[in-house]
Amino acid sequence: PVGWEETLFRDLAGMDDIPRVHALGEAISRINPVLSELARQRREVLMDLIESGAYKYESLAATVGMRVQTVRRLVDEARAQRRTEEHEAEAA
């Protein structure tokens, strides 16, 4: 089966230049929010796994194929985001 990425690039390659420029801009504007949400969810899952005690940083990094430093950074970012959301909820 063909992935959505290949389908997207094939469709874009078949366009004339000006419509292709517009379509590329549209694709970028739609993909950026998706990328942000995917990154947020990944950070949150890593944080949940660490906070549940199911993994230590080292074992989680080895399991998912990341450096320990990267896992720590992503978990720290998730915690910071959670604190921000809690403060915003309290202020509302």
Side-chain angles (χ1 to χ4, degrees):
V2 177
W4 65 268
E5 303 96 329
E6 291 86 6
T7 301
L8 174 63
F9 287 120
R10 185 178 57 234
D11 290 349
L12 290 167
M15 295 178 159
D16 290 334
D17 289 341
I18 298 303
R20 185 174 181 197
V21 169
H22 291 294
L24 287 163
E26 181 69 19
I28 291 166
S29 68
R30 289 181 179 214
I31 287 172
N32 281 334
V34 172
L35 294 175
S36 295
E37 178 60 17
L38 290 170
R40 186 196 66 75
Q41 287 188 26
R42 180 177 69 162
R43 291 189 301 266
E44 189 174 283
V45 170
L46 291 169
M47 177 186 67
D48 291 345
L49 289 168
I50 293 295
E51 290 185 349
S52 73
Y55 290 90
K56 301 289 186 207
Y57 287 99
E58 294 77 11
S59 61
L60 182 55
T63 300
V64 299
M66 293 179 169
R67 295 182 2 204
V68 175
Q69 179 182 357
T70 302
V71 172
R72 286 186 189 280
R73 178 181 54 79
L74 293 171
V75 169
D76 289 346
E77 290 172 2
R79 287 178 174 149
Q81 182 62 41
R82 181 177 57 192
R83 285 191 299 274
T84 299
E85 291 169 359
E86 288 171 353
H87 290 311
E88 290 173 354
E90 290 172 4

